[in-house]
Amino acid sequence: MTTQSKRLNDMRISEHFRLREFECPCCRCVQIAPGLVRRLEALRELWGKPIVITSGYRCAEHNVWVKGSPKSLHMRGQAADVVVPFEEQETVMKMARKADFSSAIPYGKRNFVHLAVN
Ligand SMILES: [Zn+2]
Ligand SMILES: [Zn+2]
């Protein structure tokens, strides 16, 4: 990690998101599918609330650390975990379908939803 890459990742990649929000927490590397960002913007519009990403891109090492699936789409920049309070997950799941995500997995009381694109 260099300070320069940190500054670069600070750039805005869409109306409401910065590249930094999708960084792998261990190495600050980032890879993100444009289709994922587009759908997150669509979801934000439907939900009307700021979207907080808890996990975006993961390098292979970090994916092992968090016990992610070996084929996790997080390693390809095609998935993001988003904070959604348990009580709102059903609503957000419906909105995720409308926003055209290819999959959405609610994590119940852990208060987040995994959103992915193919
Ligand atoms: Zn990493
Ligand atoms: Zn996830």
Side-chain angles (χ1 to χ4, degrees):
M1 176 179 70
T2 65
T3 45
Q4 192 187 16
S5 71
K6 258 210 117 155
R7 277 205 303 277
L8 287 174
N9 285 359
D10 208 37
M11 75 178 183
R12 196 174 284 283
I13 50 170
S14 70
E15 199 185 340
H16 297 100
F17 298 100
R18 286 175 186 274
L19 192 53
R20 145 165 63 75
E21 297 175 74
F22 297 89
E23 282 176 353
C24 176
C26 75
C27 56
R28 304 284 161 201
C29 287
V30 63
Q31 231 182 68
I32 206 75
L36 181 68
V37 179
R38 209 161 45 232
R39 287 170 180 84
L40 285 168
E41 283 287 356
L43 179 65
R44 195 201 183 280
E45 180 80 32
L46 291 165
W47 198 17
K49 291 184 184 182
I51 286 183
V52 178
I53 295 159
T54 58
S55 181
Y57 174 69
R58 292 176 195 160
C59 69
E61 213 174 303
H62 186 67
N63 192 57
V64 169
W65 174 249
V66 298
K67 299 189 167 62
S69 141
K71 285 183 183 166
S72 173
L73 289 175
H74 284 282
M75 289 190 293
R76 287 161 53 179
Q78 290 172 258
D81 297 339
V82 164
V83 175
V84 181
F86 178 59
E87 311 74 50
E88 289 183 74
Q89 286 177 12
E90 212 183 299
T91 317
V92 169
M93 292 295 289
K94 283 181 199 147
M95 291 187 251
R97 201 164 303 136
K98 257 190 214 164
D100 206 27
F101 282 96
S102 34
S103 70
I105 304 166
Y107 277 80
K109 296 267 159 81
R110 287 171 71 190
N111 299 306
F112 76 94
V113 171
H114 166 97
L115 298 165
V117 294
N118 282 332

